[in-house]
Amino acid sequence: IGQREVTISLDIKMHADGRRRDSLFVEFQKAIMLSLDQSDFQGDLFIESTSHKLLSHFKKEGLPARLYFYADNFEKDLLSTIDKGFDGLSISNEKITADQVAEAQKAGLLVMIFGARNEKLNLEVLAKKPDYLQTDDLQHIYNMMYSSDEN
């Protein structure tokens, strides 16, 4: 990767086979650190997970990443994310309002919204003013950013 400014986001699911894999925390951490060291990575690393235990492990061990809890219920998960000292929430567009985004940001959390699969949803998410948008419609975002009304 070299010296380019890059952001990598890892969405780590700890229950792919129906069982939690808490024993893999150390191995995940080692693999991530090895990859960062070998690539001379200089960008931002975001890790989102539904596992408080995994994110807490990474925080305790000092992994150089922004840690996002993958929220399912804003009210409940906002409080636990603040309590655990994570950097932010990752949440579906359908499960958060603009007022809730502002509430989380006021509490010092970053908000990452996913579920924007088209132009309409991109605009809906952007209107909520999250810190980060995960989208499946990159062309629309690119066009919004780089098109000019001047012709």
Side-chain angles (χ1 to χ4, degrees), residues 47-109:
I47 296 179
E48 57 183 300
S49 180
T50 57
S51 171
H52 280 127
K53 288 172 92 174
L54 175 70
L55 295 175
S56 293
H57 171 81
F58 286 165
K59 182 174 177 63
K60 181 179 130 205
E61 296 299 320
L63 188 72
R66 290 186 180 166
L67 304 175
Y68 290 83
F69 183 68
Y70 188 115
D72 188 54
N73 177 294
F74 176 79
E75 287 81 14
K76 175 181 65 103
D77 295 330
L78 172 70
L79 296 176
S80 66
T81 300
I82 292 169
D83 182 55
K84 303 269 186 207
F86 301 146
D87 298 294
L89 290 170
S90 173
I91 191 166
S92 172
N93 180 42
E94 299 166 348
K95 295 184 178 186
I96 193 165
T97 66
D99 288 342
Q100 290 171 325
V101 170
E103 179 183 349
Q105 291 168 331
K106 187 176 179 183
L109 296 177

